[in-house]
Amino acid sequence: MAERHPSLERLRRKLSHYVETPTSEELEALTTTFGPLQSVPRGAWITTQDSTPTRCSLLVSGFAGRSVLLRGGEQQTTAVHVPGDFIDLHGLLLNSIDHGIVAFTACEVMSAPVASLKAVVDDHPPLGRALWFLTIIDAAVHRRWLTVLGRRPALGRCAHLICELYARLDDVGLVERGRFHMPLSQARVGEILALSAVHVNRVIQELRARGLVVWERGLLTVLDFDALAAVGEFDAGYLQLQPAARGPETSRPSLGARALARSA
Amino acid sequence: MAERHPSLERLRRKLSHYVETPTSEELEALTTTFGPLQSVPRGAWITTQDSTPTRCSLLVSGFAGRSVLLRGGEQQTTAVHVPGDFIDLHGLLLNSIDHGIVAFTACEVMSAPVASLKAVVDDHPPLGRALWFLTIIDAAVHRRWLTVLGRRPALGRCAHLICELYARLDDVGLVERGRFHMPLSQARVGEILALSAVHVNRVIQELRARGLVVWERGLLTVLDFDALAAVGEFDAGYLQLQPAARGPETSRPSLGARALARSA
DNA sequence: CGGCGCATTGAGGGCGGTCAATTGGTGTGG
DNA sequence: CCACACCAATTGACCGCCCTCAATGCGCCG
């Protein structure tokens, strides 16, 4: 039953980006460790800062992010999560987490007890390696954002964020004809990009003026992905979405070449 | 024989920060996968951007860092490594690496073939988990730097870097009476902090003027760690240097309380 | 209708960038 | 031993991106 759930299918797909595609038995073992679907209202904290993780959560629907509260009251978001993502897999091995997880929109999550998940990983080494792989991709995303925050002006940061979300959402089937739901307020985007909400607004207007995106009422349409990627110096390689470069190339068309709404 | 090498002892110590201390048999297995000690001249690339990793390297002596070259010619460093660090453990599971590794000083490294390391990990699950743990700490450090680059002014960034290096070097026994070797040029520090070399210089002068550090000719003395940590809003928790919060507390004195050169 | 959250717009200011010149330490060749 | 080159640190002048503070519009909901 649970295997049918679309989010587990998304997780399966994500895991299959690693060289060793998980078997159905492994997926079954993983699936049964998760508890029931839980709803989290928009704006709520799914986990709180400085707590000891006891469960690991899978985001089924909605957007969420890892946020750090600073003394000055500012907030930096260090990761954005989309459906199909493990939100806090790193909590499996850490004793304390220095950030909280906020539901950017109303979310549905499923969580598994740390102990059970460890047991599953012990019984299925390839699965363990696949989860390790997920945490390593997470780190690669962090590194990319270090260069984005460190070296790129506001416009490039924003373009990069849009491109990354496009690629990741597309990977889990949430982009349709160049359009996807982008329910983050400009203030939240500012928390991600390390910009003020005011400046985010100006930057978005610039992207609109250049004819790169249409973004209104939570719906974002990418008009010219290649141009947007050029502005953001975006290259999807770090996301490791292509299944196993060590094997033969897949015939999946590239992001840029695929259906962009410009033609719609 | 190889176990005697100080850097392997450093690695052992690092691994022991995880709840499951590695057995000598596991360490032996790990040790034998490494090739001979190799010397890398200052400024050379230990691995290059966009290559496919075939080996994983352990830094034995010297400082190194992960650097991304951007189109504009700028360079962002996303991680600094000190002796005892695995430099590119994430390469174990990744097919392509989007950054290179530079020897900030003359370095000595030992490397292990990816295939052998995988085999060792397969044969010793607890060891695999310990290495997973190391990559997760890496990610935690990345997250911390995202907040530092995103939200803190130049002075705080610099203070944070010094505090982090102090803590990490102290962990591997390379701090003596509040002093450690800091062989990075101000330009390199700028690549880490996402600042221009000129501004790094001004910030360092400010730290000196406030009586927080003495930093001359590659030797850095921390005069007032607590004050420096306050400026950088530094809290060592994310480094996970304390062995296993889930067990009983250790009696190891805290960083701030311990030997600082102020008293020397 | 009034309140609220969010997007938008304008004015002014500061942190840190760029450009450029100077100093000083070190190594090298004469 | 000195002249010279070279690199790293330092200093000054000027400037621009993005911040802060504020006000206004706008859609949605009670």
Side-chain angles (χ1 to χ4, degrees), chain B residues 234-256:
Chain B
F234 175 82
D235 168 4
Y238 69 103
L239 293 172
Q240 308 281 334
L241 297 178
Q242 297 295 326
R246 277 173 189 165
E249 275 303 308
T250 78
S251 60
R252 199 156 189 246
S254 77
L255 269 181

Side-chain angles (χ1 to χ4, degrees), chain A residues 144 158-171 175 177-180 207 210-214 220-239 241 253-263, chain B residues 71:
Chain A
R144 172 58 56 100
C158 194
H160 197 282
L161 176 64
I162 294 171
C163 288
E164 178 179 314
L165 285 177
Y166 187 102
R168 289 170 59 191
L169 288 170
D170 184 60
D171 184 58
V175 174
R177 278 182 290 121
R179 272 203 320 246
F180 60 91
L207 290 177
R210 294 194 187 188
L212 300 177
V213 302
V214 172
L220 196 157
T221 307
V222 174
L223 297 177
D224 187 341
F225 187 91
D226 291 339
L228 195 62
V231 170
E233 295 184 51
F234 176 81
D235 167 4
Y238 69 102
L239 293 172
L241 297 179
S254 77
L255 269 181
R258 213 139 29 88
L260 296 179
R262 161 174 276 187
S263 55
Chain B
R71 308 209 187 135

Side-chain angles (χ1 to χ4, degrees), chain B residues 54-144:
Chain B
T54 57
R55 305 180 71 90
C56 289
S57 301
L58 184 67
L59 184 58
V60 175
S61 70
F63 281 50
R66 301 183 203 162
S67 281
V68 180
L69 285 171
L70 300 176
R71 308 209 187 135
E74 317 116 281
Q75 210 166 330
Q76 176 68 41
T77 294
T78 58
V80 182
H81 289 297
V82 301
D85 285 354
F86 255 109
I87 296 177
D88 50 5
L89 190 50
H90 52 297
L92 189 63
L93 299 186
L94 289 181
N95 299 315
S96 66
I97 300 281
D98 57 356
H99 58 270
I101 302 199
V102 197
F104 286 160
T105 68
C107 287
E108 290 175 303
V109 300
M110 293 189 314
S111 68
V114 161
S116 314
L117 205 48
K118 276 186 177 170
V120 170
V121 161
D122 282 340
D123 292 343
H124 304 273
L127 192 55
R129 193 179 280 181
L131 294 187
W132 185 359
F133 180 66
L134 290 186
T135 64
I136 283 182
I137 291 180
D138 245 43
V141 174
H142 291 330
R143 279 194 296 277
R144 172 57 57 100

Side-chain angles (χ1 to χ4, degrees), chain B residues 175-214:
Chain B
V175 174
E176 214 163 323
R177 278 182 293 122
R179 273 204 318 247
F180 60 90
H181 284 286
M182 179 61 169
L184 309 190
S185 71
Q186 295 178 357
R188 285 250 186 256
V189 172
E191 288 169 10
I192 300 168
L193 303 180
L195 296 171
S196 69
V198 171
H199 205 65
V200 168
N201 181 279
R202 293 186 175 119
V203 159
I204 290 173
Q205 287 177 56
E206 173 70 18
L207 289 177
R208 288 198 269 244
R210 293 194 186 188
L212 301 176
V213 303
V214 172

